Amino acid sequence: MSNSIGHDPEDEIEASRAPLLEHLTELRSRLIVCVVALFVGFGVCFYFSDQIFLFLVKPFTVGQQLLAAQHSGGKHGPFDLLLALVGLKDIPMGNAKALELVYTAALEFFFTKIKLAGFGAVVVTFPVLAWQLYRFVAPGLYKNERGAFLPFLLASPFMFILGAALVYYVMLPFVLWFSMSQQISTTAINIQLLPKVSDYLTLVTSLLLAFGLCFQLPVVVSLLGMAGIIDSKMLRAGRRYAIVGVFIAAAILTPPDPISQLTLAIPMCLLYEIGIWCVWLIERSRAKREAEESKDVVAV
């Protein structure tokens, strides 16, 4: 009797089955594209893994050359290493030896290159992965929401690159210079820094990933503000707690020296303020749009 009056549950299941299958088919096709892109990116990065590793180890190489020049009577420091990396200072060759990195297992460097290729594949194919995610969720968004989502899709890789550049050109010079300055060489003892290739790659990729993800803060905050989960007033009220959280995160994610921690904490605090400003602009735009819509309704 109830079936004759209300909706038949079997009819509801049949009605929802086709859209569900369409969504699953769409999801499968998007995942296939992502997997293929990752495989292609992995192959390309593995083929150029030696060149990528040499690029990542360049701060270490330049730092050793500057340190050797300093021992020969020159005056150099981490700022000189930073300037040399960006091409604003000539690198003194002097009597610097070739940089020595070691590996202690037969296949350690091979697996290191595999890890490097995997990390590089995710970074290189991120635009493809993000675009496939957008194409999958776009049909469920309104036209204005799709237009608002695209700028964040473009800002995300830009902010990741900005964080990675801060690691490579600012943080690594200070960390490596501090590490190399701890070496002791006398007639009685020689304490020399000989890092393993896997340890060095782990340090660099961990810092790149940590900074790249932390620099997504304005993007994440803006998306939460657009969704109405947070507002600028809430962010301003929680500023002091956010600053404490930023410094705790910086202490966990960076090497145990104050310069590295400040290198991450200070930009994060600035990015938090940028996030507040972005959310305020979103609220202002939303209020203006709602006011115009209310005027149209009154006019009708």
Side-chain angles (χ1 to χ4, degrees):
M1 182 69 179
S2 60
N3 289 343
S4 61
I5 296 176
H7 295 286
D8 191 345
E10 295 183 359
D11 293 338
E12 294 181 359
I13 294 175
E14 290 296 329
S16 63
R17 180 175 299 171
L20 177 61
L21 291 176
E22 291 177 2
H23 287 308
L24 291 176
T25 303
E26 177 74 10
L27 177 62
R28 184 184 64 179
S29 63
R30 299 298 174 191
L31 289 176
I32 290 174
V33 173
C34 292
V35 170
V36 171
L38 285 172
F39 269 104
V40 173
F42 178 85
V44 173
C45 291
F46 186 79
Y47 182 78
F48 293 102
S49 58
D50 289 343
Q51 290 84 346
I52 297 174
F53 190 83
L54 291 177
F55 173 77
L56 294 178
V57 84
K58 184 179 178 181
F60 204 169
T61 305
V62 177
Q64 187 188 50
Q65 293 172 349
L66 290 176
L67 193 63
Q70 179 173 283
H71 290 162
S72 300
K75 294 183 179 180
H76 301 288
F79 288 102
D80 296 299
L81 177 53
L82 190 155
L83 294 175
L85 286 176
V86 297
L88 298 179
K89 182 180 178 65
D90 294 332
I91 304 173
M93 300 306 296
N95 297 321
K97 299 184 298 182
L99 179 64
E100 294 183 10
L101 297 175
V102 301
Y103 59 94
T104 57
L107 297 177
E108 180 180 343
F109 190 47
F110 173 74
F111 286 115
T112 298
K113 292 195 288 186
I114 290 179
K115 294 178 183 178
L116 179 60
F119 178 80
V122 175
V123 174
V124 170
T125 61
F126 178 81
V128 178
L129 304 180
W131 178 250
Q132 293 302 315
L133 174 63
Y134 170 75
R135 291 296 301 271
F136 180 72
V137 302
L141 301 176
Y142 293 106
K143 185 177 181 180
N144 59 340
E145 292 176 336
R146 291 197 296 268
F149 189 74
L150 275 176
F152 297 106
L153 193 65
L154 298 176
S156 183
F158 172 77
M159 297 303 295
F160 187 92
I161 294 173
L162 189 62
L166 182 64
V167 171
Y168 187 84
Y169 291 106
V170 179
M171 186 176 181
L172 271 182
F174 285 95
V175 172
L176 293 175
W177 191 268
F178 176 79
S179 300
M180 290 184 293
S181 64
Q182 304 304 305
Q183 300 177 107
I184 299 176
S185 181
T186 65
T187 55
I189 188 172
N190 185 26
I191 301 177
Q192 189 176 3
L193 176 63
L194 290 176
K196 296 170 62 178
V197 290
S198 58
D199 291 343
Y200 181 80
L201 180 65
T202 299
L203 171 66
V204 175
T205 54
S206 298
L207 291 176
L208 291 175
L209 187 62
F211 274 64
L213 293 179
C214 288
F215 268 58
Q216 302 300 316
L217 181 62
V219 178
V220 174
V221 169
S222 299
L223 289 175
L224 292 176
M226 184 178 296
I229 299 176
I230 58 177
D231 54 38
S232 58
K233 183 179 179 180
M234 181 189 306
L235 293 173
R236 292 191 185 97
R239 181 184 281 114
R240 64 182 68 180
Y241 305 104
I243 292 175
V244 173
V246 163
F247 276 89
I248 292 176
I252 295 173
L253 296 174
T254 60
D257 65 275
I259 295 178
S260 301
Q261 296 171 8
L262 291 175
T263 303
L264 177 59
I266 293 176
M268 284 289 291
C269 293
L270 296 177
L271 291 173
Y272 185 82
E273 296 298 326
I274 293 175
I276 295 176
W277 180 71
C278 291
V279 172
W280 178 78
L281 288 178
I282 292 172
E283 293 172 348
R284 182 182 178 184
S285 176
R286 182 186 300 155
K288 183 178 179 181
R289 184 174 64 251
E290 291 176 352
E292 292 177 352
E293 292 176 354
S294 62
K295 289 181 180 179
D296 294 339
V297 171
V298 172
V300 173

